[in-house]
Amino acid sequence: MKTKAKENKQNKAYIESPKDTNKTEEPAIAYGKEYFSYADYLDWSDGKPREIIGGIVYSLSAPFRKHAKATASLFGKTWSYINQRKGKCEIYHAPFDVRLPLNGEVSNDKIYNVVQPDICVICDPSKLDKRGCIGAPDLIVEVFSPSTGKRDMNEKYFLYEAAGVREYWIAYPDSQAVTVFILQPDGKFGDGITYEVINGQTQVPVKILEGLFIDLEEIF
């Protein structure tokens, strides 16, 4: 079992973030702006996949095969469980826009966080609209890749915590492991619990879906 130390950060519209090599500079040059909103996001017509975190634009690229396989397996297992029980939760995979307003904003030009999680489960149908999801999903899974791993463990970690995501998974295909963070009553993620195939910890419970266990040997 491993734990992740956290820093205490305030909920705010702009999440402070370290330098990221995938930060997209082109929109800033084109539009003469430093921070971008969901309204700007909707105006871009070049078809390039992007995310906005704290008003900063980040580029996305196609995942490696192991990443794609793990995502598909996790999605399939979770979708089957939800579908068989005809529950109210819905599951989506990238590309799927999740808008995360941190202070109750509803106007597109006031929303500074738009992400495309590898997998997300939403159990409140009022958060779903024609463009995707607005508000915190109940579960988000990000599958680690070299190009986005730092962001998953830093910017997205603090964003998902601030937005109120109940359960956050980071999956590591190469090491066949998953780290699970659960939102606590104080609004902060607890210390992460890491499940590893190498240590025989293959059954991972999904807290928001009672009775669902993910077998890491099957996923990886």
Side-chain angles (χ1 to χ4, degrees):
M1 180 182 298
K2 300 177 182 177
T3 60
K4 173 186 172 78
K6 310 192 293 91
E7 4 176 343
N8 183 22
K9 290 201 174 185
Q10 296 179 339
N11 294 3
K12 51 187 177 181
Y14 296 124
I15 302 286
E16 294 179 357
S17 58
K19 185 171 180 59
D20 190 314
T21 56
N22 286 319
K23 186 185 298 182
T24 300
E25 303 295 347
E26 180 185 351
I29 296 172
Y31 296 96
K33 297 178 66 173
E34 184 176 3
Y35 295 108
F36 295 87
S37 69
Y38 184 57
D40 297 312
Y41 180 94
L42 294 176
D43 281 341
W44 298 328
S45 58
D46 58 14
K48 295 180 180 179
R50 300 183 177 99
E51 294 180 312
I52 302 177
I53 302 175
I56 304 299
V57 182
Y58 297 87
S59 62
L60 297 172
S61 57
F64 290 162
R65 183 183 64 81
K66 279 187 178 181
H67 180 289
K69 181 180 179 181
T71 301
S73 297
L74 280 163
F75 180 89
K77 296 288 184 183
T78 309
W79 179 88
S80 293
Y81 183 88
I82 293 172
N83 187 58
Q84 288 172 5
R85 286 155 183 77
K86 303 188 184 302
K88 64 178 181 179
C89 299
E90 296 190 27
I91 183 170
Y92 297 90
H93 61 76
F96 179 77
D97 286 347
V98 175
R99 289 155 282 159
L100 294 173
L102 298 185
N103 298 300
E105 306 93 338
V106 293
S107 175
N108 290 342
D109 63 349
K110 300 298 182 184
I111 296 175
Y112 297 98
N113 300 290
V114 187
V115 293
Q116 292 192 11
D118 288 311
I119 296 172
C120 60
V121 175
I122 299 104
C123 298
D124 181 353
S126 70
K127 294 180 179 180
L128 297 170
D129 61 19
K130 66 179 181 180
R131 294 192 181 279
C133 174
I134 180 166
D138 295 86
L139 167 68
I140 285 180
V141 179
E142 298 286 8
V143 180
F144 182 91
S145 65
S147 63
T148 62
K150 180 180 177 181
R151 200 183 318 160
D152 294 339
M153 294 184 290
N154 290 279
E155 290 94 336
K156 283 190 171 182
Y157 174 92
F158 290 109
L159 172 60
Y160 294 161
E161 181 184 67
V165 175
R166 293 168 55 197
E167 186 168 355
Y168 177 36
W169 289 30
I170 303 178
Y172 301 92
D174 286 341
S175 58
Q176 297 186 325
V178 169
T179 300
V180 178
F181 300 97
I182 303 297
L183 198 70
Q184 302 301 304
D186 64 358
K188 301 294 182 181
F189 283 137
D191 291 337
I193 299 176
T194 297
Y195 301 83
E196 300 173 287
V197 171
I198 193 172
N199 291 329
Q201 301 162 312
T202 61
Q203 298 295 316
V204 185
V206 182
K207 184 176 178 62
I208 69 154
L209 297 172
E210 186 176 357
L212 174 60
F213 288 80
I214 299 297
D215 188 329
L216 296 187
E217 288 187 309
E218 293 182 7
I219 296 302
F220 297 128

